[in-house]
Amino acid sequence: MTAPADTWAPRWLVLMRAFARQGASRRLAYPAGYWVHLLNTLIKMFGVVTVWSVLYSVSPGSFPIPLPDMIAYGAVSAILSELLGWWDGPHYLIAKRVRTGLITGDLLRPMSLPYQLFCLWLGESLVVLGLVVLPVVAVAAVAFGIGGPASTLAGAQFAVSVVLSFVLVFCLNFLVGLLVMLTLNLYGLMVLYHSVITMLSGVWIPLWLYPQWLSDLTMVLPFRSVYFTPLSIYVGYVRGGDAWRDLGLQVVWTAVGLAVITAAWRAIRRKIVVQGG
């Protein structure tokens, strides 16, 4: 008789799988929500591509890459924004559980809160990847002729970059969630956070179109590494040594993010104010 997988798997992996399954179940709970999500992603992708196509028709010489690459940038940015979401995730979940007092139950579980939330978000994101991202990628390939990265190396660099971006955006979301714990103010922080990451990450407007001083500012902030790095690798705007440099910067920011959330959580968990409960 074959022993159950849980008998030999590491405890952290068993817990990770359990929480990821819970996150996937949450994402699959409402079929109508899935279809709205899929439709919204398609509309967003077509809208972004249309805007860039019109801008190129007006002033094609203003852009450093050809129109097909710019269309790819816009389409992939719309798709990645669903996988690397900054408008929902750990910070909203933390705010909800602090308001209701359920955060106390989370603290009693046999794993840290950051790891719990990461596993939940991972499960949700895997559902989004399979049921939203991949279908929209297929539509983009047919509608706009978008292929993969320029080379096998660029494809590998892009895949690594997306994984690093996923971890980094989780760290940013979690830090915002910790601020919610301290201030009990969700919406004000959300507006500020969403505005900053939208403006400085390159998700909708490539950073090469920014004024030099603002582009230089993004080099010393983590937001650039969330979207602009994988997108610029995908369309070939950065290659060779420049691509490795940007990946190295992503690794640094991701390591810093993990260190900061670990230290911040240890400091804050003793000062949690719970409303309700």
Side-chain angles (χ1 to χ4, degrees):
M1 180 180 295
T2 303
D6 290 352
T7 62
W8 56 263
R11 181 170 176 270
W12 66 267
L13 183 59
V14 174
L15 292 172
M16 181 179 188
R17 185 173 59 190
F19 277 91
R21 187 183 299 119
Q22 181 182 347
S25 298
R26 290 179 53 199
R27 182 65 69 168
L28 293 170
Y30 302 102
Y34 160 71
W35 290 109
V36 171
H37 188 181
L38 179 62
L39 180 61
N40 176 71
T41 306
L42 288 169
I43 293 174
K44 181 163 55 176
M45 180 182 69
F46 276 91
V48 171
V49 170
T50 299
V51 167
W52 287 120
S53 298
V54 171
L55 290 175
Y56 260 80
S57 68
V58 174
S59 181
S62 301
F63 302 90
I65 61 176
L67 177 59
D69 289 343
M70 192 66 245
I71 287 177
Y73 186 103
V76 175
S77 70
I79 295 169
L80 274 186
S81 69
E82 299 303 318
L83 191 61
L84 308 174
W86 69 93
W87 58 89
D88 60 4
H91 43 322
Y92 272 106
L93 186 59
I94 289 175
K96 178 179 179 181
R97 298 184 81 80
V98 168
R99 284 199 309 270
T100 60
L102 294 176
I103 192 73
T104 55
D106 298 328
L107 299 178
L108 296 175
R109 289 175 176 166
M111 61 193 307
S112 68
L113 182 64
Y115 193 53
Q116 290 180 47
L117 295 179
F118 179 79
C119 295
L120 286 170
W121 198 46
L122 177 62
E124 293 185 12
S125 299
L126 289 175
V127 172
V128 172
L129 174 64
L131 298 183
V132 177
V133 170
L134 293 182
V136 176
V137 166
V139 172
V142 173
F144 309 119
I146 296 175
S151 66
T152 302
L153 177 60
Q157 290 172 328
F158 172 74
V160 172
S161 182
V162 170
V163 172
L164 291 171
S165 295
F166 183 83
V167 178
L168 178 57
V169 78
F170 168 80
C171 293
L172 295 173
N173 288 349
F174 185 79
L175 286 174
V176 173
L178 293 185
L179 291 176
V180 171
M181 282 186 176
L182 293 177
T183 64
L184 302 180
N185 178 7
L186 171 63
Y187 295 104
L189 285 172
M190 291 302 103
V191 171
L192 176 61
Y193 175 54
H194 294 176
S195 300
V196 169
I197 200 169
T198 299
M199 181 176 67
L200 299 179
S201 69
V203 59
W204 301 127
I205 302 176
L207 299 183
W208 62 67
L209 296 177
Y210 281 26
Q212 188 61 47
W213 67 269
L214 186 55
S215 180
D216 292 341
L217 176 63
T218 66
M219 291 294 294
V220 297
L221 296 173
F223 310 107
R224 176 190 187 99
S225 293
V226 176
Y227 287 104
F228 184 70
T229 295
L231 289 170
S232 58
I233 291 174
Y234 188 93
V235 300
Y237 181 74
V238 294
R239 306 179 185 182
D242 290 339
W244 289 116
R245 177 206 62 197
D246 287 356
L247 282 174
L249 186 61
Q250 266 193 304
V251 171
V252 171
W253 277 119
T254 302
V256 169
L258 290 172
V260 169
I261 66 171
T262 300
W265 174 240
R266 288 175 179 172
I268 290 176
R269 65 182 175 182
R270 299 184 183 91
K271 302 179 181 179
I272 295 175
V273 178
V274 179
Q275 293 180 316

